[in-house]
Amino acid sequence: MICRELMGKLEELAPLSLACEWDNPGLLLGRGDKEIKKIMIALDATDKVVEEAVSMGADLLLTHHPLIFKALKKVNDGDYIGRRIIKLIQADICYVAMHTNFDIAPGCMADLAAKRLGIKAEGPLEVTGEEDGIPVGVGKVGTLERAMTVRELAGMVKERFGLPFVTVYGMEQVTELVTRVAVSPGAGGSMISHGIASGAQVLVTGDIGHHGGIDAVACKMAIIDGGHYGLEHIFMPFMEEYLKKATEGAVEIVAEDISFPVQVV
């Protein structure tokens, strides 16, 4: 399968037209006519991931977060982005990012997270557009399968996402049983206002700062912070399975082992 054919398969799943205007997903490095026999999937194009892609002889590296996000005025080995780009180009590895298009696309990040938590989703937490006349957007809001305390929900988030820990704001202040929950994998600071507006009792997300957390609690919404990587690593096993089916076994698919980038000491 050549790269542009593979891009068509990815476009079917998560069209680039769904991506936020500030984002930079798609084929960021490489040739459209490159023959793809092996794909590596990761959340981020770190030095370690790029080195692994090169050493395993991958033809394409697929990540959730774009390595190239802002305009580049130079590409050299003087910074980490240039260093990684050079290694990928020298190894003739195509590089693709699926970011907010994957976050927003039906059946992808938001729906996967809601399903994992047993949330019966009513719609997007933040509507960004429409797909076939149906509102689409970032995150989901809906009802839990059963009512539970914030502490119980935090334990479920930790267990179902395989997390070493979660951070909770409002466990003592939000004391009623929780039924209405919003989930938004990734950085969720900008989603706090949407969570409050949706009537969510709890927002499950990542990268919440001190002031955002306590302000949410002041508005009677608890926050369970599972970390940015912690909630988004579901991208890797999902895309591994999708690409195996989409390529009908003609392409070898290798997903990076889940490895949390932050530890508590």
Side-chain angles (χ1 to χ4, degrees), residues 158-260:
K158 181 178 176 182
E159 185 270 326
R160 295 196 178 177
F161 283 86
L163 308 179
F165 64 90
V166 296
T167 302
V168 184
Y169 291 90
M171 189 140 59
E172 295 179 354
Q173 293 87 350
V174 179
T175 56
E176 69 273 16
L177 290 178
V178 174
T179 56
R180 188 166 177 81
V181 175
V183 59
S184 183
S190 64
M191 303 305 291
I192 291 175
S193 60
H194 295 286
I196 294 168
S198 75
Q201 296 165 278
V202 180
L203 170 63
V204 180
T205 189
D207 289 357
I208 296 299
H210 168 76
H211 294 289
I214 62 174
D215 289 349
V217 174
C219 294
K220 303 186 184 308
M221 183 180 74
I223 292 183
I224 298 172
D225 186 339
H228 200 130
Y229 185 99
L231 299 184
E232 289 194 331
H233 65 72
I234 58 178
F235 169 81
M236 294 185 288
F238 176 83
M239 287 307 305
E240 180 180 15
E241 186 64 25
Y242 175 80
L243 286 173
K244 284 179 179 178
K245 293 179 180 178
T247 61
E248 298 179 345
V251 178
E252 182 181 353
I253 314 296
V254 180
E256 179 194 21
D257 292 335
I258 294 174
S259 178
F260 293 95

Side-chain angles (χ1 to χ4, degrees), residues 93-133:
I93 297 175
C94 294
Y95 171 60
V96 178
M98 296 177 69
H99 193 209
T100 55
N101 56 318
F102 185 84
D103 289 336
I104 292 170
C108 293
M109 187 72 83
D111 283 322
L112 292 172
K115 182 178 179 181
R116 188 168 287 214
L117 293 176
I119 297 172
K120 183 179 180 181
E122 299 171 4
L125 183 56
E126 178 189 8
V127 176
T128 58
E130 289 188 356
E131 182 79 354
D132 298 325

